[in-house]
Each structure stands twice: as structure tokens, then as C-alpha cells.
Amino acid sequence: MRPVAAAIESYTIKDTDNIVYQYNFQDMLDSYNRNGLLWEDFDTRMMRAGVYTVYDDKSLLYVDFAALLTAYNSGMDVMDYTESADAKELTMPEVLKQITTGQDGKLTFRDILRSGDIVSAINNASSASEMRQLIVIGTEKLSLDLTDFNALNTYGKNQVGKIVMESRPEGGYENGEAIKLVIEDAISNALTMQQEAVKTINDASTKEGMLTALTSAGNLLEVDVTRVTKLVPEAKETFITIMLEGRPYATAEAIKVAYISALQSVEMTRVITYVDYDYNLTYAIN
């Protein structure tokens, strides 16, 4: 006999941004009765992307909602299906975006671990971007100091996630301490590379040297070097001059901002040349 407390605990929606949003069923029901923002948000996403899974608090499974509907339409009780051996479980990402209503009545979005266990989550992460999220989420549980991590640009942070992924043993990390050591080493390496890239730009003293420095450090600094190569010679020279005069740059972000600003200034420039011809208007028209 099913326990009285057994119930569908939450619904998830995999939206068009490929993020899985989770809603507590009771919270949604309360919001629906009050015509609140949580229900409105759920309804909007549901109409756009459909319900992805439901979470059963007895079977502890994220059950495919489409399969659940099929079973229900064939006459099977919802709870009987979600708690049966036939329940179709979907593979879920380790990081879910939980949406709740705050005390001020506004929506709050919080990254949560599906498993609740940071070691398990990191061992099951399927991408570098997901690993990067887990590093942030697991700060407290892993006793991490993310001061240097937060100093990295997006490229550097993604590189940290990639290193932690690639360094993961075949059987997974043994414990949080093993993960912490790899993360700290990855952050140190990424920060060193980023600082060296900034130094390379600051050390460039000629136009040729600046162009070479930007080309070699483009990825690390998150700048699109191909845009520079498409500039006409006059605009390219002006761009390089602006970058040289902006030195020294304190951070990779400062270089990126200056780079984009300099590009926009020369890309928007239009050179208009006037030439005097020894012809009158009548002659030109004819």
C-alpha cells in the first residue's frame, strides 16, 4: 500500500535556453490559488517548452512526463506509474535551476544540485560549463577560496572547468579534498596564463608587436582578432595606435573593453574624400 506522504514533489521544464527549471508542486499550487508569479512563470515556460519530468518523492526518480501522460491516458494511476518498475526515468543534468517565490513576492532563481552531493555531482558532470557551475555551487562544501577564480574572465573560468573534467579519474574523484586540490591547481594555472597574456599586451611597444601580441593572446583575452584583419590599412593603424596608447592595462577585462571600444571607433569611421574637377554641373549631367 502506498504511503500517504508519497506524492509528486516537483515538476521540471527544459526550456529553450537548454536550462532545466524545477518547481515545487505545492509552491506552484499555492501560487496558482493566489494567481501568483510562480504559477505565471511555470505556465509561460510550460506553454513554450512543455513539462520535462516529474519527481516522485518515493521512487526518487525524475520521470519522463510524456511517458507518464501516455500511461495515464491508458488508464494507469499517476502514482502507480511513477513508482513502478515501468516508470521511464530521464537523464537529468547535475545542476538544476530552482524557481521559488521570495518573501517580497518576487521570483528567486537558485542553482541546486540534483543529487545534493557535490562529490557525486562533480563525478557525474558531463561538460566543462557544467563543471564550472559546480565549482561555484560547491564553494562552501569544498572549502574553496574563489578570489582568484572570480578574477578570471569567462575563457579562464571555462578552462578551469575543462581541466577539472579532464583530470577526473576513471572511477571519479575519491573525495572533496581530491577535487579541491585539482580545482586550486587549475585556477592557479589559468590565472597565470591570463596574467601572462596581459603582460604580453602591456610589453608591446610597436604597432607590429601589438598586433602580434593581440593575435597570439586573442583566445585568452576573449577578443575577436579576425575583425582587425578585415580593417582597411588606415583603420587598422588607428586601431593599433589606440591600443598602444591605452597601456598599461590592469586586467584582461580592461583589454577586452578597450579592444571593443577601439574597434567600434574605427569601424564606424567613414572617410569621405572630395576631389575638384574642372567641369561644371551642366557638363556632368550631360
Side-chain angles (χ1 to χ4, degrees):
M1 184 174 180
R2 184 187 306 120
V4 175
I8 299 298
E9 183 178 280
S10 61
Y11 283 66
T12 71
I13 292 176
K14 189 173 186 179
D15 211 340
T16 51
D17 55 8
N18 212 35
I19 295 174
V20 177
Y21 296 87
Q22 179 164 285
Y23 302 80
N24 177 273
F25 176 71
Q26 188 58 53
D27 289 346
M28 275 201 308
L29 188 59
D30 293 342
S31 181
Y32 173 79
N33 291 332
R34 299 193 312 271
N35 194 28
L37 290 177
L38 185 65
W39 171 259
E40 183 181 322
D41 186 85
F42 173 79
D43 188 50
T44 299
R45 294 184 195 277
M46 178 178 64
M47 296 300 293
R48 180 169 59 229
V51 176
Y52 189 51
T53 64
V54 296
Y55 182 74
D56 183 285
D57 66 358
K58 180 184 176 184
S59 65
L60 305 181
L61 298 178
Y62 283 91
V63 179
D64 179 16
F65 187 71
L68 171 59
L69 281 182
T70 300
Y72 176 77
N73 290 331
S74 66
M76 192 171 186
D77 179 78
V78 169
M79 301 303 297
D80 285 341
Y81 176 75
T82 60
E83 295 168 12
S84 72
D86 295 327
K88 181 182 178 182
E89 181 182 12
L90 287 187
T91 300
M92 299 285 284
E94 283 296 325
V95 180
L96 305 178
K97 185 78 70 176
Q98 187 176 61
I99 306 180
T100 56
T101 305
Q103 292 183 347
D104 58 0
K106 296 181 180 179
L107 296 180
T108 61
F109 298 78
R110 183 170 67 95
D111 288 333
I112 62 171
L113 298 179
R114 174 175 56 83
S115 63
D117 180 348
I118 188 63
V119 175
S120 173
I122 285 178
N123 282 335
N124 289 300
S126 58
S127 68
S129 59
E130 186 177 12
M131 187 67 79
R132 173 187 163 185
Q133 284 182 289
L134 291 171
I135 290 170
V136 176
I137 294 172
T139 303
E140 186 175 342
K141 292 183 178 180
L142 295 172
S143 300
L144 293 170
D145 179 354
L146 293 188
T147 302
D148 287 345
F149 180 81
N150 292 330
L152 293 169
N153 58 13
T154 300
Y155 179 87
K157 290 174 181 176
N158 286 339
Q159 285 300 105
V160 172
K162 182 179 179 182
I163 291 172
V164 178
M165 280 282 293
E166 294 176 346
S167 301
R168 188 170 59 190
E170 188 173 341
Y173 290 105
E174 185 177 353
N175 51 44
E177 186 60 30
I179 295 172
K180 180 182 178 181
L181 291 174
V182 173
I183 291 175
E184 289 177 339
D185 188 54
I187 292 174
S188 177
N189 288 337
L191 186 60
T192 297
M193 291 176 64
Q194 184 170 290
Q195 290 171 338
E196 288 177 351
V198 173
K199 185 177 184 301
T200 298
I201 299 300
N202 285 332
D203 287 348
S205 57
T206 65
K207 293 177 182 178
E208 294 76 12
M210 175 60 75
L211 186 58
T212 299
L214 287 170
T215 302
S216 64
N219 287 336
L220 285 168
L221 299 173
E222 298 179 334
V223 295
D224 183 4
V225 181
T226 59
R227 287 174 63 182
V228 178
T229 62
K230 295 177 182 178
L231 295 174
V232 297
E234 296 85 354
K236 183 184 294 186
E237 185 163 333
T238 300
F239 166 80
I240 296 298
T241 299
I242 293 173
M243 292 302 298
L244 281 169
E245 292 175 347
R247 297 171 307 146
Y249 299 100
T251 64
E253 184 63 25
I255 294 174
K256 181 179 178 180
V257 171
Y259 187 94
I260 293 173
S261 176
L263 265 180
Q264 289 175 337
S265 68
V266 296
E267 286 178 337
M268 289 168 29
T269 300
R270 296 292 181 270
V271 178
I272 301 176
T273 302
Y274 295 91
V275 178
D276 291 326
Y277 292 96
D278 192 21
Y279 304 123
N280 59 29
L281 180 61
T282 301
Y283 181 89
I285 293 174
N286 292 335

